[in-house]
Amino acid sequence: MSVTELFRRAEAGDQPAWNAIVDRYTKLLWSVARAHRLGTADAADVVQTTWLRLVEHFGRIEDPERLAGWLATTARRECLQTLRRAGRELVGDVDDVVLQVAEEGPAPVDARLLTEERDVALWACLERLSARCQVLLRALMATPPPDYVTVSTALDMPVGSIGPTRGRCLNQLRTLATGAGLAVGTKARGT
Amino acid sequence: MNEMPDIEQSNQALFARLARIADEIDPVPRLAYELGHAAFELRRLDSELAELIRDSAVDRESLAGVRGELNVRLLSFEAADLDIDLQVVPQAGRRSVLGQVVGTATDVRMETSEGIVAAALDPHGRFQVDDVAAGRMRLHVAADGGVYVTSWVTV
């Protein structure tokens, strides 16, 4: 069912249609919150607030086909407010936000949950990338993968810069990983 | 060497791997889905939204006037024929809310995590609610023009 149809049904009071929307986009919202380096409790709060905002905007969303962008933008705004409320003075764009809160970011990875130590090591490399890279890569990791327009709205980055920035960030990650003795070669690995 | 296509291909492989790791180490908590589903029960049924249009905690310009020793937060909501202004002050870990309804309100109720309380309106549309729980809050306002509910705000 198209998102527009789901949304129209939800507006008309259909809880299963609403649940389907929540199930489809919660991961995107989680990625946006994590991209802003919020801890688990704050990230969950941002996700919940975003759903409450959508509910209160029933009857006011003109183009439900672009719901992902609306949700991502709303989540980003809530992230920034959460960071502000926490008393972190913000100047400028998301880079500064992230740099200032990086030390208080999500709890360290629990290695026991991982199947492969190399994955832990690779993730540690990711966490050494610039704030800009971490934010972008994290946002792009949502499944289903958000399109660049949605990411552009969510992170307030020009659409045209997303592809090239992603490429640069992955290259930096590859350099770090190679330095850490991890094989992430320039050739695609067999699947 | 065919380097260009290889790079994009290996970027995609690396990215897929990162996404898989993210899924494993940072899965979305089940609770996030449940709270999302539950949000539906808080939808407006027969009321109009009075939308948050100004928040001194967000809007730097409006902060200039009140920044100082006082930790006052100003919020403004707007509906078709009703405006609501709030002044929120911390009070021993909780909040004190001073409000003014511009319009013809007859009843104001405040909803928080602790429930809904009625606020006494004076003849000028002003009201005050003390000992408000910190966290999510919204107002329900009955007016001549209908029933309104504000956007949720976290105070």
Side-chain angles (χ1 to χ4, degrees):
Chain A
M1 202 182 295
S2 77
V3 62
T4 298
E5 199 175 337
L6 285 173
F7 188 71
R8 293 306 179 210
R9 287 190 185 197
E11 279 182 321
D14 183 343
Q15 172 97 49
W18 170 258
N19 290 355
I21 293 172
V22 170
D23 293 344
R24 190 177 292 187
Y25 294 112
T26 289
K27 211 160 180 180
L28 169 68
L29 300 182
W30 186 257
S31 296
V32 172
R34 288 304 215 185
H36 288 83
R37 307 282 295 181
L38 295 184
T40 303
D42 281 342
D45 195 60
V46 160
V47 173
Q48 185 189 12
T49 303
T50 305
W51 290 123
L52 288 169
R53 293 262 177 266
L54 181 60
V55 163
E56 75 188 16
H57 281 78
F58 275 176
R60 294 180 167 222
I61 304 286
E62 284 173 13
D63 185 4
E65 215 46 51
R66 290 163 58 199
L67 195 61
W70 190 96
L71 288 168
T73 311
T74 303
R76 169 182 162 74
R77 198 179 305 131
E78 295 299 332
C79 287
L80 296 180
Q81 287 189 25
T82 299
L83 294 170
R84 285 190 178 101
R85 270 200 305 276
R88 299 146 175 172
E89 189 63 22
L90 303 185
V91 271
D93 63 7
V94 71
D95 278 10
D96 302 301
V97 176
V98 174
L99 287 171
Q100 287 176 30
V101 302
E103 288 168 21
E104 307 168 42
V109 171
D110 182 348
R112 287 166 306 177
L113 296 176
L114 289 174
T115 50
E116 292 214 41
E117 266 177 47
R118 280 173 302 158
D119 288 345
V120 183
L122 180 57
W123 197 257
C125 292
L126 177 83
E127 292 184 329
R128 285 170 57 203
L129 291 176
S130 73
R132 184 182 182 79
C133 282
Q134 289 190 45
V135 165
L136 177 64
L137 294 181
R138 207 52 230 269
L140 286 169
M141 274 175 213
T143 42
D147 57 57
Y148 281 9
V149 174
T150 298
V151 173
S152 155
T153 334
L155 301 182
D156 205 16
M157 280 175 70
V159 161
S161 77
I162 292 177
T165 308
R166 169 184 176 273
R168 275 197 301 277
C169 294
L170 287 175
N171 280 341
Q172 287 168 17
L173 177 64
R174 193 171 279 116
T175 304
L176 287 173
T178 306
L182 294 167
V184 287
T186 49
K187 282 202 148 191
R189 289 146 59 97
T191 46
Chain B
M1 291 291 278
N2 281 336
E3 223 175 312
M4 288 312 283
D6 264 9
I7 283 175
E8 183 44 34
Q9 224 185 344
S10 80
N11 273 353
Q12 283 179 16
L14 177 56
F15 198 75
R17 185 174 166 198
L18 287 174
R20 182 180 54 72
I21 299 174
D23 267 354
E24 268 185 74
I25 68 171
D26 186 27
V28 182
R30 189 63 227 157
L31 181 68
Y33 288 98
E34 285 164 9
L35 293 173
H37 294 163
F40 193 63
E41 286 151 30
L42 294 167
R43 66 192 184 279
R44 292 173 289 116
L45 291 175
D46 297 309
S47 49
E48 288 293 312
L49 178 66
E51 192 152 17
L52 180 67
I53 53 162
R54 263 192 305 280
D55 179 353
S56 65
V58 173
D59 181 3
R60 234 164 278 268
E61 291 88 300
S62 69
L63 249 182
V66 288
R67 191 174 240 163
E69 308 86 288
L70 282 178
N71 203 359
V72 178
R73 181 170 169 202
L74 303 177
L75 300 161
S76 298
F77 303 89
E78 188 181 78
D81 46 10
L82 195 80
D83 292 325
I84 304 164
D85 294 311
L86 297 183
Q87 191 176 311
V88 181
V89 187
Q91 187 184 54
R94 294 170 71 84
R95 306 287 179 259
S96 173
V97 178
L98 194 63
Q100 163 106 54
V101 182
V102 182
T104 50
T106 52
D107 184 69
V108 174
R109 283 160 203 276
M110 179 182 289
E111 179 177 1
T112 66
S113 60
E114 295 178 349
I116 299 182
V117 293
L121 270 174
D122 80 4
H124 307 287
R126 289 179 298 218
F127 61 93
Q128 179 163 0
V129 183
D130 290 323
D131 199 28
V132 176
R136 232 176 243 116
M137 182 273 279
R138 68 176 174 179
L139 295 175
H140 300 263
V141 179
D144 285 353
V147 182
Y148 299 86
V149 59
T150 67
S151 310
W152 287 100
V153 289
T154 301
V155 297

